[in-house]
């Protein structure tokens, strides 16, 4: 079974631009969560989608948004990029969110650099 | 609100020896799960071990075991017979059982296994 894939793996943008990151979950998984990883703040939860619905959202500004498609693939968008948005963005998938403490399988991440 | 604290930013251990990584957490929930994730350098995050809060018995997975002290809200990871491949960032995480699928992570402990 293929693992979680994320594209692109690396991205360089300038301040003020917007960016879209993509995540394809493991086949059969319907839940996708996004996390931001930075050296200073560590791993922080962005949002979670299940069956195309956002179920949970972390404490991030409205510039961060996401969606999930009917095939469970998910995208996240960051508008009006700031230097502080430079981070590794991780996507994780699970079969059913939260139930039984289902394991979340992580992708390799997208390294975003904002100049 | 849930919090997870890892008080050891960095640790090192000699190959074949045993090391224990500490983690404390705080939650008012009764139904929750605890995890240790491993993130090797430039590689994907993978689950090391999982503990259901309602289970008294400490989880074990081969060379990895936990010491779960529910009253003290402590969840330490013991790695026996350390191997060079154990070199990685280790993250302790919690998840509330039920419908939410967002992991709350500690800041991580960087473990170096020396030959």
């Amino acid at each position: 079974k293929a693992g979680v894939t994320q594209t692109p793996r690396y991205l360089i943008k300038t301040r003020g631009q917007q960016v879209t990151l993509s995540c394809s979950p493991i086949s059969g998984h319907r839940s996708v969560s996004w996390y931001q990883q930075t050296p200073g703040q560590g791993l922080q939860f962005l949002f979670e989608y299940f069956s195309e619905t956002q179920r949970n959202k972390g404490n991030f500004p409205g510039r961060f948004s996401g969606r999930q498609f009917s095939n469970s693939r998910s995208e996240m968008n960051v508008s009006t990029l700031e230097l502080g948005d430079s981070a590794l963005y991780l996507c994780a998938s699970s079969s059913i969110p939260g139930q039984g403490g289902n394991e979340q399988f992580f992708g390799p991440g997208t390294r975003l650099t904002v100049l | 609100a849930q919090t997870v604290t890892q008080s050891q930013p960095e640790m090192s251990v000699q190959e074949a020896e045993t090391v224990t990584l500490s983690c404390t957490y705080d939650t008012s929930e009764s139904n929750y799960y605890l995890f240790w994730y491993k993130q090797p350098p430039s590689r994907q995050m993978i689950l090391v071990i999982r503990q259901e809060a309602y289970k008294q018995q400490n989880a074990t997975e081969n060379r990895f075991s936990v010491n779960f002290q529910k009253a003290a809200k402590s969840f330490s990871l013991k790695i026996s017979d350390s191997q060079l491949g154990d070199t990685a960032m280790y993250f302790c995480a919690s998840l509330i059982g039920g419908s939410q699928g967002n992991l709350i992570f500690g800041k991580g402990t960087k473990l170096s296994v020396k030959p």
Side-chain angles (χ1 to χ4, degrees), chain A residues 4 33 35 37 40-43 45 48 55-56 88 90 97-108, chain B residues 33 35 37 39 42-47 50 52 91 95-107:
Chain A
V4 178
S33 297
Y35 297 86
Q37 185 176 19
Q41 299 299 317
L43 281 148
F45 170 75
E48 175 206 354
R55 295 171 61 94
N56 203 4
L88 181 66
L90 294 172
Q99 183 172 330
N102 265 347
E103 178 180 354
Q104 294 192 14
F105 293 83
F106 283 82
Chain B
Y33 302 83
F35 306 84
Y37 277 88
Q39 189 177 39
S42 302
R43 293 179 61 188
Q44 280 169 247
M45 183 120 57
I46 58 172
L47 179 67
R50 183 185 95 157
E52 292 92 337
F91 294 96
L95 183 148
I96 298 173
S99 62
Q100 293 183 338
N102 57 304
L103 290 162
I104 305 298
F105 285 93
K107 294 288 190 186

Side-chain angles (χ1 to χ4, degrees), chain A residues 1-5 23-33 48-53 55 68-74 91-99 101-107, chain B residues 37 44-45 47 101:
Chain A
K1 216 180 221 186
V4 178
T5 58
C23 171
S24 292
I26 290 171
S27 177
H29 283 189
R30 295 165 60 195
S31 171
V32 173
S33 297
E48 175 206 354
Y49 288 88
F50 179 69
S51 293
E52 302 178 66
T53 301
R55 295 171 61 94
Q68 186 180 36
F69 302 94
S70 58
N71 62 358
S72 294
R73 190 176 71 85
S74 177
C91 164
S93 77
S94 63
S95 52
I96 299 175
Q99 183 172 330
N102 265 347
E103 178 180 354
Q104 294 192 14
F105 293 83
F106 283 82
Chain B
Y37 277 88
Q44 280 169 247
M45 183 120 57
L47 179 67

